[in-house]
PDB file of all heavy atoms in Angstrom:
ATOM      1  N   ASP A 135      39.191 -66.221 -36.800  1.00  0.00           N
ATOM      2  CA  ASP A 135      38.037 -65.425 -36.287  1.00  0.00           C
ATOM      3  C   ASP A 135      36.837 -65.386 -37.151  1.00  0.00           C
ATOM      4  O   ASP A 135      35.721 -65.528 -36.759  1.00  0.00           O
ATOM      5  CB  ASP A 135      38.557 -63.983 -36.022  1.00  0.00           C
ATOM      6  CG  ASP A 135      39.705 -63.888 -35.020  1.00  0.00           C
ATOM      7  OD1 ASP A 135      39.490 -64.270 -33.831  1.00  0.00           O
ATOM      8  OD2 ASP A 135      40.949 -63.597 -35.420  1.00  0.00           O
ATOM      9  N   MET A 136      37.088 -65.305 -38.540  1.00  0.00           N
ATOM     10  CA  MET A 136      36.055 -65.398 -39.465  1.00  0.00           C
ATOM     11  C   MET A 136      35.384 -66.718 -39.506  1.00  0.00           C
ATOM     12  O   MET A 136      34.121 -66.801 -39.659  1.00  0.00           O
ATOM     13  CB  MET A 136      36.313 -64.777 -40.740  1.00  0.00           C
ATOM     14  CG  MET A 136      37.239 -65.559 -41.628  1.00  0.00           C
ATOM     15  SD  MET A 136      37.443 -64.604 -43.180  1.00  0.00           S
ATOM     16  CE  MET A 136      38.808 -65.660 -43.896  1.00  0.00           C
ATOM     17  N   VAL A 137      36.242 -67.695 -39.463  1.00  0.00           N
ATOM     18  CA  VAL A 137      35.635 -69.190 -39.345  1.00  0.00           C
ATOM     19  C   VAL A 137      34.884 -69.390 -38.129  1.00  0.00           C
ATOM     20  O   VAL A 137      33.768 -69.887 -38.027  1.00  0.00           O
ATOM     21  CB  VAL A 137      36.791 -70.211 -39.627  1.00  0.00           C
ATOM     22  CG1 VAL A 137      36.314 -71.494 -39.343  1.00  0.00           C
ATOM     23  CG2 VAL A 137      37.423 -70.029 -40.825  1.00  0.00           C
ATOM     24  N   ALA A 138      35.319 -68.895 -36.930  1.00  0.00           N
ATOM     25  CA  ALA A 138      34.505 -68.887 -35.739  1.00  0.00           C
ATOM     26  C   ALA A 138      33.240 -68.174 -35.868  1.00  0.00           C
ATOM     27  O   ALA A 138      32.232 -68.623 -35.366  1.00  0.00           O
ATOM     28  CB  ALA A 138      35.367 -68.369 -34.596  1.00  0.00           C
ATOM     29  N   ALA A 139      33.212 -66.958 -36.522  1.00  0.00           N
ATOM     30  CA  ALA A 139      32.016 -66.225 -36.689  1.00  0.00           C
ATOM     31  C   ALA A 139      30.950 -67.155 -37.638  1.00  0.00           C
ATOM     32  O   ALA A 139      29.751 -67.094 -37.364  1.00  0.00           O
ATOM     33  CB  ALA A 139      32.261 -64.956 -37.511  1.00  0.00           C
ATOM     34  N   ALA A 140      31.542 -67.850 -38.478  1.00  0.00           N
ATOM     35  CA  ALA A 140      30.698 -68.635 -39.444  1.00  0.00           C
ATOM     36  C   ALA A 140      30.127 -69.829 -38.648  1.00  0.00           C
ATOM     37  O   ALA A 140      28.955 -70.226 -38.860  1.00  0.00           O
ATOM     38  CB  ALA A 140      31.419 -69.170 -40.630  1.00  0.00           C
ATOM     39  N   VAL A 141      30.885 -70.392 -37.743  1.00  0.00           N
ATOM     40  CA  VAL A 141      30.501 -71.500 -36.918  1.00  0.00           C
ATOM     41  C   VAL A 141      29.282 -71.103 -35.918  1.00  0.00           C
ATOM     42  O   VAL A 141      28.253 -71.621 -35.924  1.00  0.00           O
ATOM     43  CB  VAL A 141      31.514 -72.096 -36.099  1.00  0.00           C
ATOM     44  CG1 VAL A 141      31.158 -73.022 -34.980  1.00  0.00           C
ATOM     45  CG2 VAL A 141      32.633 -72.791 -36.946  1.00  0.00           C
ATOM     46  N   MET A 142      29.571 -69.968 -35.344  1.00  0.00           N
ATOM     47  CA  MET A 142      28.344 -69.312 -34.517  1.00  0.00           C
ATOM     48  C   MET A 142      27.296 -68.970 -35.279  1.00  0.00           C
ATOM     49  O   MET A 142      26.106 -69.301 -34.881  1.00  0.00           O
ATOM     50  CB  MET A 142      29.070 -68.067 -33.883  1.00  0.00           C
ATOM     51  CG  MET A 142      28.170 -67.365 -32.786  1.00  0.00           C
ATOM     52  SD  MET A 142      26.946 -66.242 -33.566  1.00  0.00           S
ATOM     53  CE  MET A 142      27.931 -65.091 -34.303  1.00  0.00           C
ATOM     54  N   LEU A 143      27.333 -68.308 -36.403  1.00  0.00           N
ATOM     55  CA  LEU A 143      26.253 -67.903 -37.161  1.00  0.00           C
ATOM     56  C   LEU A 143      25.466 -69.127 -37.735  1.00  0.00           C
ATOM     57  O   LEU A 143      24.277 -69.184 -37.685  1.00  0.00           O
ATOM     58  CB  LEU A 143      26.642 -67.046 -38.399  1.00  0.00           C
ATOM     59  CG  LEU A 143      25.452 -66.505 -39.328  1.00  0.00           C
ATOM     60  CD1 LEU A 143      24.460 -65.722 -38.479  1.00  0.00           C
ATOM     61  CD2 LEU A 143      26.159 -65.714 -40.497  1.00  0.00           C
ATOM     62  N   GLN A 144      26.225 -70.256 -38.108  1.00  0.00           N
ATOM     63  CA  GLN A 144      25.520 -71.442 -38.549  1.00  0.00           C
ATOM     64  C   GLN A 144      24.748 -72.017 -37.486  1.00  0.00           C
ATOM     65  O   GLN A 144      23.524 -72.492 -37.680  1.00  0.00           O
ATOM     66  CB  GLN A 144      26.511 -72.402 -39.119  1.00  0.00           C
ATOM     67  CG  GLN A 144      25.965 -73.605 -39.760  1.00  0.00           C
ATOM     68  CD  GLN A 144      25.195 -73.287 -41.075  1.00  0.00           C
ATOM     69  OE1 GLN A 144      25.768 -72.658 -41.925  1.00  0.00           O
ATOM     70  NE2 GLN A 144      23.915 -73.522 -41.163  1.00  0.00           N
ATOM     71  N   ALA A 145      25.221 -72.005 -36.253  1.00  0.00           N
ATOM     72  CA  ALA A 145      24.466 -72.544 -35.076  1.00  0.00           C
ATOM     73  C   ALA A 145      23.281 -71.712 -34.961  1.00  0.00           C
ATOM     74  O   ALA A 145      22.176 -72.413 -34.504  1.00  0.00           O
ATOM     75  CB  ALA A 145      25.404 -72.593 -33.739  1.00  0.00           C
ATOM     76  N   TRP A 146      23.341 -70.388 -34.987  1.00  0.00           N
ATOM     77  CA  TRP A 146      22.196 -69.537 -34.825  1.00  0.00           C
ATOM     78  C   TRP A 146      21.082 -69.858 -35.914  1.00  0.00           C
ATOM     79  O   TRP A 146      19.964 -70.003 -35.624  1.00  0.00           O
ATOM     80  CB  TRP A 146      22.684 -68.106 -34.869  1.00  0.00           C
ATOM     81  CG  TRP A 146      21.539 -67.102 -34.669  1.00  0.00           C
ATOM     82  CD1 TRP A 146      20.978 -66.720 -33.549  1.00  0.00           C
ATOM     83  CD2 TRP A 146      20.831 -66.434 -35.729  1.00  0.00           C
ATOM     84  NE1 TRP A 146      20.009 -65.678 -33.808  1.00  0.00           N
ATOM     85  CE2 TRP A 146      19.876 -65.614 -35.147  1.00  0.00           C
ATOM     86  CE3 TRP A 146      20.807 -66.416 -37.158  1.00  0.00           C
ATOM     87  CZ2 TRP A 146      19.049 -64.847 -35.894  1.00  0.00           C
ATOM     88  CZ3 TRP A 146      20.010 -65.636 -37.902  1.00  0.00           C
ATOM     89  CH2 TRP A 146      19.036 -64.764 -37.276  1.00  0.00           C
ATOM     90  N   LEU A 147      21.598 -69.939 -37.232  1.00  0.00           N
ATOM     91  CA  LEU A 147      20.672 -70.309 -38.240  1.00  0.00           C
ATOM     92  C   LEU A 147      19.908 -71.492 -37.983  1.00  0.00           C
ATOM     93  O   LEU A 147      18.777 -71.720 -38.233  1.00  0.00           O
ATOM     94  CB  LEU A 147      21.418 -70.295 -39.555  1.00  0.00           C
ATOM     95  CG  LEU A 147      21.984 -69.080 -40.132  1.00  0.00           C
ATOM     96  CD1 LEU A 147      22.987 -69.272 -41.256  1.00  0.00           C
ATOM     97  CD2 LEU A 147      21.003 -67.967 -40.519  1.00  0.00           C
ATOM     98  N   ASP A 148      20.774 -72.636 -37.783  1.00  0.00           N
ATOM     99  CA  ASP A 148      20.121 -73.884 -37.397  1.00  0.00           C
ATOM    100  C   ASP A 148      19.111 -73.880 -36.201  1.00  0.00           C
ATOM    101  O   ASP A 148      18.032 -74.468 -36.362  1.00  0.00           O
ATOM    102  CB  ASP A 148      21.234 -74.977 -37.091  1.00  0.00           C
ATOM    103  CG  ASP A 148      22.102 -75.262 -38.322  1.00  0.00           C
ATOM    104  OD1 ASP A 148      21.838 -74.898 -39.449  1.00  0.00           O
ATOM    105  OD2 ASP A 148      23.313 -75.874 -38.040  1.00  0.00           O
ATOM    106  N   ALA A 149      19.491 -73.153 -35.097  1.00  0.00           N
ATOM    107  CA  ALA A 149      18.573 -73.053 -34.028  1.00  0.00           C
ATOM    108  C   ALA A 149      17.258 -72.401 -34.415  1.00  0.00           C
ATOM    109  O   ALA A 149      16.167 -72.665 -34.083  1.00  0.00           O
ATOM    110  CB  ALA A 149      19.196 -72.453 -32.829  1.00  0.00           C
ATOM    111  N   ARG A 150      17.591 -71.414 -35.173  1.00  0.00           N
ATOM    112  CA  ARG A 150      16.322 -70.476 -35.672  1.00  0.00           C
ATOM    113  C   ARG A 150      15.381 -71.363 -36.593  1.00  0.00           C
ATOM    114  O   ARG A 150      14.197 -71.347 -36.508  1.00  0.00           O
ATOM    115  CB  ARG A 150      16.832 -69.289 -36.443  1.00  0.00           C
ATOM    116  CG  ARG A 150      15.821 -68.334 -36.744  1.00  0.00           C
ATOM    117  CD  ARG A 150      16.530 -67.068 -37.401  1.00  0.00           C
ATOM    118  NE  ARG A 150      15.532 -66.101 -37.793  1.00  0.00           N
ATOM    119  CZ  ARG A 150      14.922 -66.113 -39.074  1.00  0.00           C
ATOM    120  NH1 ARG A 150      15.159 -67.065 -39.817  1.00  0.00           N
ATOM    121  NH2 ARG A 150      14.099 -65.257 -39.334  1.00  0.00           N
ATOM    122  N   ARG A 151      16.050 -72.159 -37.426  1.00  0.00           N
ATOM    123  CA  ARG A 151      15.174 -73.048 -38.406  1.00  0.00           C
ATOM    124  C   ARG A 151      14.443 -74.017 -37.605  1.00  0.00           C
ATOM    125  O   ARG A 151      13.351 -74.424 -37.830  1.00  0.00           O
ATOM    126  CB  ARG A 151      16.228 -73.755 -39.412  1.00  0.00           C
ATOM    127  CG  ARG A 151      15.462 -74.216 -40.645  1.00  0.00           C
ATOM    128  CD  ARG A 151      16.407 -74.484 -41.804  1.00  0.00           C
ATOM    129  NE  ARG A 151      17.592 -74.973 -41.502  1.00  0.00           N
ATOM    130  CZ  ARG A 151      18.762 -74.345 -41.611  1.00  0.00           C
ATOM    131  NH1 ARG A 151      18.785 -73.012 -41.906  1.00  0.00           N
ATOM    132  NH2 ARG A 151      19.933 -74.879 -41.348  1.00  0.00           N
ATOM    133  N   GLU A 152      15.094 -74.601 -36.554  1.00  0.00           N
ATOM    134  CA  GLU A 152      14.466 -75.628 -35.767  1.00  0.00           C
ATOM    135  C   GLU A 152      13.355 -75.102 -34.907  1.00  0.00           C
ATOM    136  O   GLU A 152      12.260 -75.728 -34.818  1.00  0.00           O
ATOM    137  CB  GLU A 152      15.421 -76.266 -34.731  1.00  0.00           C
ATOM    138  CG  GLU A 152      16.333 -77.368 -35.282  1.00  0.00           C
ATOM    139  CD  GLU A 152      17.289 -77.981 -34.305  1.00  0.00           C
ATOM    140  OE1 GLU A 152      16.838 -77.960 -33.004  1.00  0.00           O
ATOM    141  OE2 GLU A 152      18.440 -78.310 -34.566  1.00  0.00           O
TER     142      GLU A 152
END
Side-chain angles (χ1 to χ4, degrees):
D135 299 294
M136 67 178 169
V137 173
V141 169
M142 182 277 302
L143 182 57
Q144 188 65 56
W146 180 85
L147 294 167
D148 295 344
R150 190 173 175 277
R151 202 167 33 257
E152 278 182 35

